[in-house]
mmCIF file of all heavy atoms in Angstrom:
data_model
loop_
_atom_site.group_PDB
_atom_site.id
_atom_site.type_symbol
_atom_site.label_atom_id
_atom_site.label_comp_id
_atom_site.label_asym_id
_atom_site.label_seq_id
_atom_site.Cartn_x
_atom_site.Cartn_y
_atom_site.Cartn_z
ATOM 1 N N THR A 1363 95.648 36.819 71.650
ATOM 2 C CA THR A 1363 94.694 35.949 70.957
ATOM 3 C C THR A 1363 94.046 34.981 71.988
ATOM 4 O O THR A 1363 94.785 34.400 72.771
ATOM 5 C CB THR A 1363 95.363 35.135 69.900
ATOM 6 O OG1 THR A 1363 95.904 36.000 68.897
ATOM 7 C CG2 THR A 1363 94.358 34.155 69.242
ATOM 8 N N LEU A 1364 92.780 34.872 72.017
ATOM 9 C CA LEU A 1364 92.090 33.977 72.922
ATOM 10 C C LEU A 1364 92.508 32.561 72.718
ATOM 11 O O LEU A 1364 92.617 32.078 71.642
ATOM 12 C CB LEU A 1364 90.517 34.037 72.613
ATOM 13 C CG LEU A 1364 89.666 33.214 73.486
ATOM 14 C CD1 LEU A 1364 89.550 33.810 74.858
ATOM 15 C CD2 LEU A 1364 88.307 33.076 72.930
ATOM 16 N N LEU A 1365 92.857 31.889 73.875
ATOM 17 C CA LEU A 1365 93.247 30.492 73.862
ATOM 18 C C LEU A 1365 92.074 29.566 74.011
ATOM 19 O O LEU A 1365 91.292 29.749 74.867
ATOM 20 C CB LEU A 1365 94.248 30.207 75.022
ATOM 21 C CG LEU A 1365 95.738 30.768 74.857
ATOM 22 C CD1 LEU A 1365 96.491 30.665 76.153
ATOM 23 C CD2 LEU A 1365 96.407 30.084 73.752
ATOM 24 N N THR A 1366 91.989 28.526 73.171
ATOM 25 C CA THR A 1366 91.007 27.532 73.282
ATOM 26 C C THR A 1366 91.597 26.144 73.300
ATOM 27 O O THR A 1366 92.702 25.924 72.741
ATOM 28 C CB THR A 1366 89.882 27.681 72.218
ATOM 29 O OG1 THR A 1366 90.589 27.528 70.925
ATOM 30 C CG2 THR A 1366 89.239 29.016 72.216
ATOM 31 N N ASP A 1367 90.870 25.183 73.851
ATOM 32 C CA ASP A 1367 91.341 23.867 73.707
ATOM 33 C C ASP A 1367 90.845 23.208 72.439
ATOM 34 O O ASP A 1367 90.233 23.818 71.569
ATOM 35 C CB ASP A 1367 90.914 23.081 74.950
ATOM 36 C CG ASP A 1367 89.330 22.881 75.105
ATOM 37 O OD1 ASP A 1367 88.666 23.085 74.129
ATOM 38 O OD2 ASP A 1367 88.904 22.612 76.194
ATOM 39 N N ASP A 1368 91.047 21.865 72.364
ATOM 40 C CA ASP A 1368 90.661 21.126 71.064
ATOM 41 C C ASP A 1368 89.249 21.117 70.778
ATOM 42 O O ASP A 1368 88.801 20.952 69.603
ATOM 43 C CB ASP A 1368 91.285 19.660 71.078
ATOM 44 C CG ASP A 1368 92.813 19.556 71.092
ATOM 45 O OD1 ASP A 1368 93.386 20.681 70.633
ATOM 46 O OD2 ASP A 1368 93.270 18.606 71.470
ATOM 47 N N ASP A 1369 88.418 21.365 71.893
ATOM 48 C CA ASP A 1369 86.966 21.384 71.659
ATOM 49 C C ASP A 1369 86.375 22.853 71.509
ATOM 50 O O ASP A 1369 85.219 23.045 71.484
ATOM 51 C CB ASP A 1369 86.288 20.674 72.809
ATOM 52 C CG ASP A 1369 86.641 19.200 72.960
ATOM 53 O OD1 ASP A 1369 86.697 18.637 71.883
ATOM 54 O OD2 ASP A 1369 86.941 18.732 74.069
ATOM 55 N N GLY A 1370 87.283 23.777 71.395
ATOM 56 C CA GLY A 1370 86.927 25.173 71.274
ATOM 57 C C GLY A 1370 86.548 25.940 72.544
ATOM 58 O O GLY A 1370 86.052 27.043 72.575
ATOM 59 N N ASN A 1371 86.809 25.284 73.674
ATOM 60 C CA ASN A 1371 86.475 25.890 75.004
ATOM 61 C C ASN A 1371 87.658 26.663 75.523
ATOM 62 O O ASN A 1371 88.876 26.387 75.270
ATOM 63 C CB ASN A 1371 86.206 24.796 76.047
ATOM 64 C CG ASN A 1371 84.999 23.927 75.637
ATOM 65 O OD1 ASN A 1371 84.003 24.517 75.311
ATOM 66 N ND2 ASN A 1371 85.129 22.643 75.669
ATOM 67 N N SER A 1372 87.316 27.745 76.150
ATOM 68 C CA SER A 1372 88.402 28.663 76.671
ATOM 69 C C SER A 1372 88.066 28.852 78.265
ATOM 70 O O SER A 1372 87.145 29.545 78.543
ATOM 71 C CB SER A 1372 88.378 30.045 76.026
ATOM 72 O OG SER A 1372 89.341 30.878 76.577
ATOM 73 N N ARG A 1373 88.910 28.204 79.068
ATOM 74 C CA ARG A 1373 88.590 28.321 80.447
ATOM 75 C C ARG A 1373 89.820 28.154 81.350
ATOM 76 O O ARG A 1373 90.876 27.737 80.872
ATOM 77 C CB ARG A 1373 87.532 27.240 80.867
ATOM 78 C CG ARG A 1373 88.136 25.815 80.597
ATOM 79 C CD ARG A 1373 86.994 24.716 80.918
ATOM 80 N NE ARG A 1373 87.670 23.431 80.814
ATOM 81 C CZ ARG A 1373 88.332 22.760 81.724
ATOM 82 N NH1 ARG A 1373 88.500 23.314 82.891
ATOM 83 N NH2 ARG A 1373 88.912 21.557 81.479
ATOM 84 N N ILE A 1374 89.737 28.569 82.601
ATOM 85 C CA ILE A 1374 90.779 28.432 83.622
ATOM 86 C C ILE A 1374 90.133 28.532 84.946
ATOM 87 O O ILE A 1374 89.014 29.269 85.136
ATOM 88 C CB ILE A 1374 91.856 29.388 83.398
ATOM 89 C CG1 ILE A 1374 93.112 28.978 84.205
ATOM 90 C CG2 ILE A 1374 91.450 30.855 83.851
ATOM 91 C CD1 ILE A 1374 94.422 29.668 83.853
ATOM 92 N N SER A 1375 90.621 27.877 85.915
ATOM 93 C CA SER A 1375 90.179 28.030 87.321
ATOM 94 C C SER A 1375 90.735 29.263 88.014
ATOM 95 O O SER A 1375 91.832 29.700 87.624
ATOM 96 C CB SER A 1375 90.424 26.787 88.140
ATOM 97 O OG SER A 1375 91.851 26.680 88.408
ATOM 98 N N TYR A 1376 90.074 29.753 89.040
ATOM 99 C CA TYR A 1376 90.615 30.862 89.772
ATOM 100 C C TYR A 1376 92.009 30.487 90.287
ATOM 101 O O TYR A 1376 92.940 31.284 90.337
ATOM 102 C CB TYR A 1376 89.724 31.231 91.003
ATOM 103 C CG TYR A 1376 88.396 31.808 90.647
ATOM 104 C CD1 TYR A 1376 87.209 31.390 91.150
ATOM 105 C CD2 TYR A 1376 88.331 32.916 89.746
ATOM 106 C CE1 TYR A 1376 85.998 31.909 90.839
ATOM 107 C CE2 TYR A 1376 87.108 33.550 89.414
ATOM 108 C CZ TYR A 1376 85.908 32.958 90.032
ATOM 109 O OH TYR A 1376 84.688 33.564 89.719
ATOM 110 N N ALA A 1377 92.152 29.273 90.820
ATOM 111 C CA ALA A 1377 93.381 28.841 91.456
ATOM 112 C C ALA A 1377 94.538 28.787 90.423
ATOM 113 O O ALA A 1377 95.644 29.233 90.771
ATOM 114 C CB ALA A 1377 93.175 27.383 92.047
ATOM 115 N N ASP A 1378 94.235 28.317 89.233
ATOM 116 C CA ASP A 1378 95.399 28.236 88.265
ATOM 117 C C ASP A 1378 95.612 29.665 87.714
ATOM 118 O O ASP A 1378 96.781 29.947 87.260
ATOM 119 C CB ASP A 1378 95.026 27.259 87.118
ATOM 120 C CG ASP A 1378 95.275 25.831 87.646
ATOM 121 O OD1 ASP A 1378 96.107 25.650 88.554
ATOM 122 O OD2 ASP A 1378 94.590 24.905 87.110
ATOM 123 N N TYR A 1379 94.653 30.493 87.618
ATOM 124 C CA TYR A 1379 94.847 31.927 87.172
ATOM 125 C C TYR A 1379 95.754 32.538 88.277
ATOM 126 O O TYR A 1379 96.703 33.375 87.874
ATOM 127 C CB TYR A 1379 93.499 32.643 87.123
ATOM 128 C CG TYR A 1379 93.620 34.033 86.476
ATOM 129 C CD1 TYR A 1379 94.268 34.352 85.360
ATOM 130 C CD2 TYR A 1379 92.822 35.062 87.087
ATOM 131 C CE1 TYR A 1379 94.325 35.611 84.910
ATOM 132 C CE2 TYR A 1379 92.924 36.333 86.586
ATOM 133 C CZ TYR A 1379 93.626 36.647 85.451
ATOM 134 O OH TYR A 1379 93.600 37.904 84.970
ATOM 135 N N ALA A 1380 95.515 32.212 89.517
ATOM 136 C CA ALA A 1380 96.368 32.818 90.571
ATOM 137 C C ALA A 1380 97.887 32.380 90.430
ATOM 138 O O ALA A 1380 98.760 33.152 90.652
ATOM 139 C CB ALA A 1380 95.892 32.360 91.945
#
Side-chain angles (χ1 to χ4, degrees):
T1363 302
L1364 182 73
L1365 285 170
T1366 59
D1367 61 21
D1368 292 341
D1369 296 320
N1371 299 311
S1372 177
R1373 61 184 184 85
I1374 195 165
S1375 70
Y1376 292 131
D1378 284 333
Y1379 187 48

